[in-house]
Coordinates of all heavy atoms in Angstrom, one line a residue:
M346 N -16.2 -13.8 9.2 CA -15.5 -12.6 8.7 C -15.0 -13.0 7.3 O -14.4 -14.0 7.1 CB -14.3 -12.3 9.6 CG -13.5 -11.2 9.0 SD -11.9 -10.8 9.9 CE -12.1 -11.4 11.5
K347 N -15.2 -12.1 6.4 CA -14.8 -12.3 5.0 C -13.4 -11.7 4.8 O -13.1 -10.6 5.2 CB -15.7 -11.6 4.0 CG -15.4 -11.8 2.6 CD -16.5 -11.2 1.7 CE -16.2 -11.6 0.3 NZ -17.2 -11.0 -0.6
I348 N -12.5 -12.5 4.3 CA -11.1 -12.1 4.1 C -10.8 -12.1 2.6 O -11.2 -13.0 1.9 CB -10.1 -13.2 4.8 CG1 -10.4 -13.2 6.3 CG2 -8.7 -12.8 4.5 CD1 -9.6 -14.2 7.0
R349 N -10.2 -11.0 2.2 CA -9.8 -10.8 0.8 C -8.3 -10.8 0.6 O -7.6 -10.2 1.4 CB -10.4 -9.5 0.3 CG -11.9 -9.4 0.3 CD -12.3 -8.0 -0.3 NE -13.7 -8.0 -0.4 CZ -14.5 -7.0 0.2 NH1 -13.9 -6.1 0.9 NH2 -15.8 -7.0 0.0
A350 N -7.9 -11.3 -0.5 CA -6.5 -11.3 -0.8 C -6.1 -9.9 -1.3 O -7.0 -9.2 -1.9 CB -6.1 -12.4 -1.9
L351 N -4.9 -9.5 -1.1 CA -4.5 -8.2 -1.7 C -4.5 -8.1 -3.2 O -4.4 -7.1 -3.8 CB -3.1 -7.8 -1.1 CG -3.0 -7.5 0.3 CD1 -1.5 -7.2 0.7 CD2 -3.8 -6.3 0.7
T352 N -4.6 -9.3 -3.8 CA -4.6 -9.3 -5.3 C -6.0 -9.4 -5.8 O -6.2 -9.5 -7.0 CB -3.8 -10.5 -5.8 OG1 -4.4 -11.7 -5.2 CG2 -2.3 -10.4 -5.4
D353 N -7.0 -9.2 -5.0 CA -8.4 -9.3 -5.4 C -8.8 -8.0 -6.2 O -8.9 -7.0 -5.6 CB -9.3 -9.5 -4.2 CG -10.8 -9.6 -4.5 OD1 -11.1 -9.4 -5.7 OD2 -11.6 -9.9 -3.6
P354 N -8.9 -8.1 -7.5 CA -9.2 -6.9 -8.3 C -10.6 -6.3 -8.1 O -10.8 -5.2 -8.5 CB -9.1 -7.4 -9.8 CG -9.4 -8.9 -9.7 CD -8.9 -9.3 -8.3
T355 N -11.5 -7.0 -7.4 CA -12.8 -6.4 -7.1 C -12.7 -5.6 -5.9 O -13.6 -4.9 -5.5 CB -13.8 -7.6 -6.9 OG1 -13.4 -8.3 -5.7 CG2 -14.0 -8.4 -8.1
W356 N -11.6 -5.6 -5.2 CA -11.4 -4.8 -3.9 C -10.4 -3.8 -4.0 O -10.5 -2.7 -3.4 CB -11.1 -5.8 -2.8 CG -11.1 -5.3 -1.4 CD1 -12.2 -4.6 -0.8 CD2 -10.0 -5.2 -0.5 NE1 -11.8 -4.2 0.4 CE2 -10.5 -4.6 0.7 CE3 -8.7 -5.7 -0.6 CZ2 -9.7 -4.4 1.8 CZ3 -7.9 -5.5 0.6 CH2 -8.4 -4.9 1.7
L357 N -9.2 -4.0 -4.6 CA -8.1 -3.1 -4.7 C -7.7 -2.7 -6.1 O -7.8 -3.5 -7.0 CB -6.9 -3.7 -4.0 CG -6.9 -3.8 -2.5 CD1 -5.6 -4.5 -2.0 CD2 -7.0 -2.5 -1.8
V358 N -7.2 -1.5 -6.2 CA -6.6 -1.0 -7.4 C -5.2 -0.7 -7.2 O -4.8 0.0 -6.2 CB -7.3 0.3 -7.9 CG1 -6.7 0.9 -9.1 CG2 -8.8 0.0 -8.1
F359 N -4.2 -1.2 -8.0 CA -2.8 -1.1 -7.8 C -2.2 -0.2 -8.9 O -2.7 -0.2 -10.0 CB -2.1 -2.4 -7.9 CG -2.3 -3.3 -6.8 CD1 -3.3 -4.2 -6.8 CD2 -1.5 -3.3 -5.7 CE1 -3.6 -5.1 -5.7 CE2 -1.7 -4.1 -4.6 CZ -2.7 -5.0 -4.6
A360 N -1.1 0.5 -8.6 CA -0.4 1.3 -9.6 C 1.1 1.3 -9.1 O 1.4 1.3 -8.0 CB -1.0 2.7 -9.7
Y361 N 2.0 1.4 -10.1 CA 3.4 1.5 -9.8 C 4.0 2.6 -10.7 O 3.7 2.6 -12.0 CB 4.1 0.2 -10.1 CG 5.6 0.3 -9.9 CD1 6.1 0.5 -8.6 CD2 6.5 0.2 -10.9 CE1 7.5 0.6 -8.4 CE2 7.9 0.4 -10.8 CZ 8.4 0.5 -9.5 OH 9.7 0.7 -9.3
D362 N 4.8 3.5 -10.2 CA 5.4 4.5 -10.9 C 6.9 4.3 -10.9 O 7.6 4.5 -9.9 CB 5.1 5.9 -10.3 CG 5.7 7.0 -11.2 OD1 6.6 6.8 -12.0 OD2 5.3 8.2 -11.0
P363 N 7.5 3.8 -12.0 CA 8.9 3.4 -12.0 C 9.8 4.6 -11.8 O 11.0 4.5 -11.3 CB 9.1 2.8 -13.3 CG 8.0 3.2 -14.2 CD 6.9 3.5 -13.3
K364 N 9.4 5.8 -12.2 CA 10.2 7.0 -12.0 C 10.4 7.4 -10.6 O 11.5 7.7 -10.1 CB 9.6 8.2 -12.8 CG 9.7 8.1 -14.3 CD 9.2 9.3 -15.0 CE 9.3 9.1 -16.5 NZ 8.7 10.2 -17.2
T365 N 9.4 7.3 -9.8 CA 9.4 7.7 -8.4 C 9.6 6.4 -7.5 O 9.8 6.6 -6.3 CB 8.2 8.4 -7.9 OG1 7.0 7.5 -8.1 CG2 8.0 9.7 -8.7
R366 N 9.5 5.2 -8.1 CA 9.6 4.0 -7.4 C 8.5 3.9 -6.3 O 8.8 3.5 -5.2 CB 11.0 3.7 -6.8 CG 12.0 3.6 -7.9 CD 13.3 3.3 -7.3 NE 14.3 2.9 -8.4 CZ 15.5 2.6 -8.1 NH1 16.0 2.6 -6.9 NH2 16.3 2.3 -9.1
E367 N 7.3 4.3 -6.6 CA 6.2 4.4 -5.7 C 5.1 3.3 -6.1 O 4.8 3.3 -7.2 CB 5.6 5.7 -5.6 CG 4.4 5.8 -4.7 CD 3.7 7.2 -4.7 OE1 3.0 7.5 -5.7 OE2 4.0 8.0 -3.8
V368 N 4.7 2.6 -5.1 CA 3.6 1.6 -5.3 C 2.4 2.3 -4.6 O 2.5 2.7 -3.4 CB 3.9 0.3 -4.7 CG1 2.6 -0.6 -4.8 CG2 5.0 -0.4 -5.3
M369 N 1.3 2.4 -5.2 CA 0.1 2.9 -4.6 C -1.1 2.0 -4.8 O -1.2 1.4 -5.9 CB -0.3 4.3 -5.3 CG -1.3 5.1 -4.6 SD -3.1 4.6 -4.9 CE -3.2 4.9 -6.7
F370 N -1.8 1.8 -3.8 CA -3.0 1.0 -4.0 C -4.1 1.6 -3.1 O -3.9 2.3 -2.1 CB -2.9 -0.5 -3.7 CG -2.3 -0.8 -2.4 CD1 -3.1 -1.2 -1.3 CD2 -0.9 -0.9 -2.2 CE1 -2.6 -1.5 -0.1 CE2 -0.4 -1.3 -1.0 CZ -1.2 -1.6 0.1
H371 N -5.4 1.4 -3.6 CA -6.5 2.0 -2.9 C -7.7 1.0 -3.1 O -7.8 0.3 -4.0 CB -6.9 3.4 -3.3 CG -7.3 3.5 -4.7 ND1 -8.6 3.3 -5.1 CD2 -6.6 3.8 -5.8 CE1 -8.6 3.5 -6.4 NE2 -7.4 3.8 -6.9
T372 N -8.6 1.1 -2.1 CA -9.8 0.3 -2.2 C -10.7 0.9 -3.3 O -10.6 2.1 -3.7 CB -10.6 0.3 -0.9 OG1 -10.9 1.6 -0.5 CG2 -9.9 -0.5 0.2
K373 N -11.6 0.1 -3.9 CA -12.4 0.6 -5.0 C -13.3 1.8 -4.5 O -13.6 2.7 -5.3 CB -13.4 -0.5 -5.5 CG -12.6 -1.6 -6.2 CD -12.5 -1.3 -7.7 CE -11.9 -2.5 -8.4 NZ -12.1 -2.4 -9.8
D374 N -13.7 1.8 -3.2 CA -14.5 2.9 -2.7 C -13.7 4.1 -2.2 O -14.2 5.0 -1.7 CB -15.5 2.4 -1.7 CG -14.8 1.9 -0.4 OD1 -13.5 1.9 -0.4 OD2 -15.5 1.4 0.4
N375 N -12.3 4.0 -2.4 CA -11.4 5.0 -1.9 C -11.4 5.3 -0.4 O -11.0 6.4 0.0 CB -11.6 6.3 -2.7 CG -11.1 6.2 -4.1 OD1 -10.0 5.7 -4.4 ND2 -11.9 6.6 -5.1
T376 N -11.8 4.4 0.4 CA -11.8 4.6 1.8 C -10.4 4.4 2.4 O -10.1 4.9 3.5 CB -12.8 3.7 2.6 OG1 -12.6 2.3 2.3 CG2 -14.3 4.1 2.2
K377 N -9.6 3.6 1.7 CA -8.2 3.3 2.1 C -7.3 3.6 1.0 O -7.5 3.1 -0.1 CB -8.1 1.9 2.6 CG -9.0 1.5 3.7 CD -8.4 1.9 5.0 CE -9.3 1.3 6.1 NZ -9.8 2.2 7.1
T378 N -6.2 4.3 1.2 CA -5.2 4.6 0.2 C -3.8 4.4 0.9 O -3.6 4.9 2.0 CB -5.3 6.0 -0.3 OG1 -6.6 6.2 -0.9 CG2 -4.2 6.3 -1.4
V379 N -3.0 3.6 0.2 CA -1.6 3.4 0.7 C -0.6 3.7 -0.3 O -0.8 3.3 -1.5 CB -1.5 1.9 1.2 CG1 -0.1 1.6 1.7 CG2 -2.5 1.6 2.3
K380 N 0.5 4.4 0.0 CA 1.6 4.7 -0.9 C 2.9 4.2 -0.2 O 3.2 4.5 0.9 CB 1.7 6.2 -1.1 CG 0.5 6.7 -1.9 CD 0.7 8.2 -2.1 CE -0.5 8.8 -2.8 NZ -0.4 10.2 -3.0
L381 N 3.6 3.4 -1.0 CA 4.9 2.8 -0.5 C 6.0 3.3 -1.4 O 5.8 3.3 -2.7 CB 4.9 1.3 -0.6 CG 3.8 0.6 0.3 CD1 3.7 -0.9 -0.1 CD2 4.2 0.7 1.8
H382 N 7.1 3.8 -0.8 CA 8.2 4.2 -1.6 C 9.4 3.3 -1.3 O 9.7 3.0 -0.1 CB 8.7 5.6 -1.2 CG 7.7 6.7 -1.7 ND1 6.6 7.1 -0.9 CD2 7.7 7.4 -2.8 CE1 6.0 8.0 -1.6 NE2 6.6 8.2 -2.7
E383 N 10.0 2.8 -2.4 CA 11.1 1.9 -2.2 C 12.2 2.5 -1.3 O 12.6 3.6 -1.5 CB 11.7 1.6 -3.6 CG 12.8 0.5 -3.6 CD 13.3 0.3 -5.0 OE1 12.5 0.3 -6.0 OE2 14.5 0.0 -5.1
G384 N 12.7 1.6 -0.4 CA 13.8 2.0 0.5 C 13.4 2.8 1.7 O 14.2 3.1 2.6
E385 N 12.1 3.3 1.8 CA 11.7 4.1 3.0 C 11.2 3.2 4.1 O 10.7 2.1 3.9 CB 10.7 5.1 2.6 CG 11.2 6.2 1.7 CD 10.3 7.3 1.5 OE1 9.3 7.4 2.2 OE2 10.5 8.1 0.6
R386 N 11.3 3.7 5.3 CA 10.8 2.9 6.5 C 9.4 3.4 7.0 O 9.0 3.0 8.0 CB 11.8 3.0 7.6 CG 13.1 2.4 7.2 CD 14.2 2.6 8.3 NE 15.4 1.9 7.9 CZ 16.0 0.9 8.6 NH1 15.4 0.5 9.7 NH2 17.1 0.4 8.2
T387 N 8.8 4.3 6.2 CA 7.5 4.7 6.5 C 6.7 4.6 5.2 O 7.2 4.5 4.1 CB 7.5 6.2 6.9 OG1 8.0 7.0 5.9 CG2 8.2 6.4 8.2
T388 N 5.4 4.6 5.4 CA 4.4 4.6 4.3 C 3.3 5.6 4.6 O 3.2 6.1 5.7 CB 3.8 3.2 4.2 OG1 3.0 3.1 3.0 CG2 2.9 2.8 5.3
D389 N 2.6 5.9 3.6 CA 1.5 6.9 3.7 C 0.2 6.1 3.7 O -0.1 5.5 2.7 CB 1.6 7.9 2.5 CG 0.6 9.0 2.6 OD1 -0.6 8.7 2.2 OD2 0.9 10.1 3.0
V390 N -0.6 6.2 4.7 CA -1.9 5.5 4.8 C -2.9 6.6 5.0 O -3.0 7.3 6.1 CB -1.9 4.5 5.9 CG1 -3.3 3.8 6.0 CG2 -0.8 3.4 5.8
N391 N -3.8 6.8 4.0 CA -4.8 7.8 4.1 C -4.3 9.2 4.5 O -4.9 9.9 5.3 CB -5.9 7.4 5.0 CG -6.7 6.2 4.5 OD1 -6.7 6.0 3.3 ND2 -7.4 5.5 5.4
G392 N -3.1 9.5 4.0 CA -2.5 10.8 4.2 C -1.7 11.0 5.5 O -1.1 12.0 5.7
K393 N -1.5 9.9 6.2 CA -0.8 9.9 7.5 C 0.4 9.0 7.3 O 0.4 7.9 6.8 CB -1.6 9.4 8.7 CG -2.8 10.4 8.9 CD -3.6 9.8 10.1 CE -4.8 10.8 10.4 NZ -5.6 10.3 11.5
K394 N 1.6 9.5 7.8 CA 2.8 8.7 7.8 C 2.7 7.6 8.9 O 2.3 7.8 10.0 CB 4.0 9.5 8.1 CG 4.4 10.5 7.0 CD 5.1 9.7 5.9 CE 5.5 10.7 4.8 NZ 6.0 10.0 3.6
V395 N 3.1 6.4 8.5 CA 3.0 5.2 9.4 C 4.4 4.5 9.3 O 4.9 4.2 8.2 CB 1.9 4.2 9.0 CG1 1.9 3.0 9.8 CG2 0.5 4.9 9.0
K396 N 5.0 4.2 10.4 CA 6.3 3.5 10.4 C 6.0 2.0 10.1 O 5.1 1.4 10.6 CB 6.9 3.6 11.8 CG 8.3 3.0 11.9 CD 8.9 3.2 13.3 CE 10.2 2.6 13.3 NZ 10.8 2.7 14.6
L397 N 6.9 1.5 9.2 CA 6.8 0.1 8.8 C 7.6 -0.7 9.7 O 8.7 -0.4 10.1 CB 7.3 -0.1 7.4 CG 6.5 0.6 6.3 CD1 7.3 0.5 5.0 CD2 5.1 0.0 6.1
D398 N 7.1 -1.9 10.1 CA 7.8 -2.9 10.9 C 8.6 -3.7 9.9 O 8.1 -4.6 9.3 CB 6.9 -3.7 11.7 CG 7.6 -4.8 12.5 OD1 8.9 -4.8 12.5 OD2 6.9 -5.6 13.2
I399 N 9.9 -3.4 9.8 CA 10.7 -4.1 8.8 C 11.7 -5.1 9.4 O 12.6 -5.6 8.8 CB 11.6 -3.1 7.9 CG1 12.4 -2.2 8.8 CG2 10.6 -2.3 7.1 CD1 13.4 -1.4 8.1
S400 N 11.4 -5.4 10.7 CA 12.2 -6.4 11.4 C 12.0 -7.8 10.7 O 11.0 -8.1 10.2 CB 11.8 -6.5 12.9 OG 10.5 -6.9 13.0
R401 N 13.1 -8.6 10.7 CA 13.1 -9.9 10.1 C 12.7 -10.9 11.2 O 13.3 -10.9 12.3 CB 14.4 -10.2 9.5 CG 14.7 -9.3 8.3 CD 15.9 -9.6 7.6 NE 16.2 -8.6 6.6 CZ 17.2 -8.6 5.8 NH1 18.1 -9.6 5.9 NH2 17.3 -7.7 4.9
P402 N 11.9 -11.8 10.9 CA 11.5 -12.9 11.8 C 12.7 -13.8 12.1 O 13.6 -14.0 11.2 CB 10.4 -13.7 11.2 CG 10.4 -13.3 9.7 CD 11.1 -12.0 9.6
A403 N 12.8 -14.3 13.3 CA 13.9 -15.2 13.7 C 13.8 -16.5 13.1 O 12.8 -17.0 12.7 CB 14.0 -15.3 15.2

């Protein structure tokens, strides 16, 4: 199985909007899109709200 780092520019495109405090990234082929908003406990993955697991490890 091939594993890619989230920082691999051949696989992902990143953007940050300081006004809305939103981080957005998507695959180069646009099959996956994720939007994260600072301070929120949910994220948007391909148009669907997903609850984030923000628990801290022991």
Side-chain angles (χ1 to χ4, degrees):
M346 173 186 342
K347 187 174 183 180
I348 298 175
R349 293 183 177 123
L351 289 177
T352 57
D353 182 350
T355 62
W356 187 59
L357 287 178
V358 176
F359 289 90
Y361 176 70
D362 184 343
K364 290 182 181 179
T365 62
R366 295 182 170 179
E367 178 183 78
V368 175
M369 190 279 298
F370 55 94
H371 63 86
T372 54
K373 291 272 186 166
D374 62 4
N375 287 316
T376 57
K377 302 280 188 230
T378 301
V379 177
K380 293 180 183 178
L381 300 166
H382 290 88
E383 184 178 327
E385 291 192 13
R386 295 177 181 240
T387 59
T388 188
D389 183 280
V390 179
N391 291 339
K393 296 180 182 178
K394 289 284 185 189
V395 176
K396 185 177 178 182
L397 295 172
D398 179 4
I399 58 169
S400 60
R401 295 183 182 179

